[in-house]
Amino acid sequence: MESIRRQTPQTALMSLEAQAASARGGFACLFSTAEEYETALITERRAQGRYTQSRSYWPLALFVGCALIVAGTVLLFA
C-alpha cells in the first residue's frame, strides 16, 4: 500500500472512499426483513431434523407409577 504522504489529497480521499465501500460490502445481509431471516432459519433447522417430536415414554411411566401408588394407598386404607 502506498504511503498517504506520497498521495495527493484527492487520491487519498478516493482511496479511502473505495476502502470504505469495500468494507461496507462485507456486512451486506442476505435477507431484507427479519421475518425472511426467521423463515429461512426455521426451514434450515427443520431440514436438519431439530424440530421432530421425540418419542419419550417418561410421561406414560410416571402416570402408571402414580396410578399404582394411588391404587396401593386406596387398597391399604380400605
Side-chain angles (χ1 to χ4, degrees):
M1 184 174 165
E2 292 183 32
S3 173
I4 294 178
R5 292 180 185 176
R6 293 184 187 173
Q7 296 177 349
T8 63
Q10 184 66 23
T11 307
L13 181 60
M14 289 174 49
S15 174
L16 185 61
E17 286 176 351
Q19 289 175 359
S22 175
R24 280 191 300 268
F27 294 109
C29 186
L30 299 174
F31 308 102
S32 59
T33 63
E35 185 176 330
E36 192 176 301
Y37 169 74
E38 294 288 335
T39 303
L41 183 66
I42 290 171
T43 303
E44 179 64 27
R45 287 183 177 172
R46 280 186 180 155
Q48 293 174 357
R50 289 194 188 182
Y51 294 128
T52 59
Q53 292 247 343
S54 63
R55 298 294 289 171
S56 176
Y57 294 106
W58 279 108
L60 179 61
L62 289 173
F63 175 75
V64 170
C66 288
L68 289 174
I69 291 172
V70 169
T73 304
V74 168
L75 291 176
L76 185 63
F77 291 111

